[in-house]
Amino acid sequence: MDSQTGDIVLVVDDSPDTLSLINDTLEQAGIDVLVALDGSQALNIARRLRPDMILLDAVMPGLDGFETCRLLKADPALASIPVIFMTGLTDSADIVRGLESGGVDYLTKPIQPSELLARMKVHLSNARLTSSAHQALDSTGQFLFTVDGSGQMQWATPQTYALLSSAGALEPQQQRKMGAALQVWLSRAPGAGHKLKLEGLQSSLAVVFVERRDAQTCLLKLVDDGGPAGEEVLREKLGLTRRESEVLFWIGNGKTNREIGEILDVSPRTVNKHLEGVFSKLGVENRTAAAGIAIRALNPDS
């Protein structure tokens, strides 16, 4: 297979013979191989090293391949990794189960090296295209994210994560509520531009439908749906510039200079420069005091 240099594939199987065959096949194709003997070990390795693809045995003791795949797809940082199932099962119901849990393909044991490499080539190529698209969107600073049919978030730009976090939407209970609301809304097949207001958050947010990417993926945009945005409130109440008010808003939400730089698409040094202006205008000497003023300005009744 003409693999891209640096491809890393995680192989998960409790059979030493299968691991040996696949390891030899992939190494001969110039692919770096990681090995896990069970689902729990696979999850730990994936979180630490983030492979480009996962070859996953469906039937294993303990955490089986189906549940392992569901847990991978539930983690936004890992959800885009393509998973190919490997199993001796041939029943169509098991094949469907593997695909429904998030697998992109299915190979029946005994594994044929030529078939394995051919399938992998296709899915690694697709994964690179998807990753490139996500990176392009990340760099634009847009509040975009994707969800599956059940309303579970698969991927989001850093700006989206930051805005959801500031609104309290990433708390487990709020995540479940938001997922349930999105599932019902998406089941009604909203059109481009249709909006869903998110309830029960610390700030007024809404989701706008952008497009359906495939049968299981929808692209959405997060928007402020309330009164003046937090940055605008700070600008008017405290006499700050637009950029100073943006920096102070995120300081009040506990973000570091590096994180604020990523959100606003500026360097940490530029963030620090604006923060010096904030300190001077507010008459404070540190970010803790500035954050306190921001919180009181945004929550005058608390």
Side-chain angles (χ1 to χ4, degrees):
M1 179 176 67
D2 297 326
S3 82
Q4 180 169 303
T5 301
D7 282 333
I8 300 174
V9 174
L10 171 60
V11 184
V12 190
D13 201 303
D14 61 336
S15 166
D17 290 340
T18 300
L19 288 176
S20 178
L21 169 65
I22 295 176
N23 183 75
D24 292 346
T25 299
L26 299 187
E27 285 193 344
Q28 289 175 12
I31 298 172
D32 294 324
V33 182
L34 304 172
V35 171
L37 299 175
D38 57 46
S40 296
Q41 191 178 40
L43 290 169
N44 290 331
I45 292 174
R47 288 165 182 151
R48 286 189 293 107
L49 301 176
R50 202 188 183 286
D52 299 295
M53 172 174 283
I54 298 174
L55 302 179
L56 181 60
D57 186 21
V59 180
M60 296 181 291
L63 195 66
D64 69 15
F66 302 118
E67 183 60 24
T68 300
C69 190
R70 278 191 287 270
L71 291 171
L72 285 165
K73 296 304 176 181
D75 185 335
L78 305 176
S80 63
I81 300 175
V83 175
I84 296 180
F85 275 95
M86 308 178 297
T87 183
L89 299 174
T90 56
D91 186 85
S92 60
D94 293 309
I95 296 175
V96 171
R97 186 181 175 196
L99 297 177
E100 286 182 340
S101 67
V104 297
D105 209 339
Y106 201 98
L107 289 170
T108 302
K109 295 180 179 179
I111 300 298
Q112 302 299 318
S114 59
E115 181 184 11
L116 170 64
L117 292 174
R119 300 279 189 91
M120 287 180 58
K121 181 177 181 180
V122 170
H123 296 298
L124 281 169
S125 177
N126 289 342
R128 288 189 204 106
L129 291 173
T130 300
S131 177
S132 296
H134 286 175
Q135 289 171 8
L137 289 171
D138 284 350
S139 67
T140 66
Q142 297 190 60
F143 295 90
L144 298 172
F145 65 109
T146 61
V147 297
D148 60 20
S150 65
Q152 299 305 304
M153 191 160 62
Q154 300 172 314
W155 161 87
T157 62
Q159 294 80 10
T160 298
Y161 277 119
L163 189 55
L164 288 172
S165 177
S166 70
L170 296 183
E171 298 295 326
Q173 184 177 3
Q174 289 297 339
Q175 277 190 302
R176 289 192 291 270
K177 288 182 178 179
M178 184 173 74
L182 288 172
Q183 181 178 25
V184 172
W185 182 56
L186 293 172
S187 71
R188 298 169 182 164
H194 286 195
K195 182 188 295 186
L196 172 70
K197 184 175 178 61
L198 300 177
E199 304 292 345
L201 301 180
Q202 296 171 17
S203 56
S204 297
L205 299 179
V207 170
V208 176
F209 188 87
V210 179
E211 65 179 9
R212 181 172 291 278
R213 307 304 296 271
D214 55 47
Q216 295 296 322
T217 306
C218 294
L219 179 64
L220 309 175
K221 183 176 183 179
L222 193 65
V223 296
D224 190 312
D225 197 47
E231 298 94 328
E232 184 180 336
V233 171
L234 294 176
R235 185 166 69 250
E236 293 179 353
K237 286 189 175 182
L238 303 176
L240 305 175
T241 67
R242 179 182 64 83
R243 190 60 96 185
E244 287 172 346
S245 66
E246 290 173 341
V247 169
L248 180 58
F249 175 80
W250 292 113
I251 290 292
N253 280 281
K255 300 300 180 183
T256 65
N257 284 10
R258 181 184 62 79
E259 291 171 326
I260 296 170
E262 292 175 352
I263 294 168
L264 301 180
D265 196 24
V266 298
S267 70
R269 178 174 295 183
T270 299
V271 172
N272 194 58
K273 178 182 177 182
H274 290 302
L275 195 54
E276 290 175 357
V278 170
F279 290 168
S280 176
K281 290 180 180 180
L282 298 184
V284 299
E285 297 182 353
N286 57 59
R287 63 197 299 125
T288 301
I293 292 175
I295 292 170
R296 287 192 293 274
L298 294 171
N299 302 278
D301 299 326
S302 61

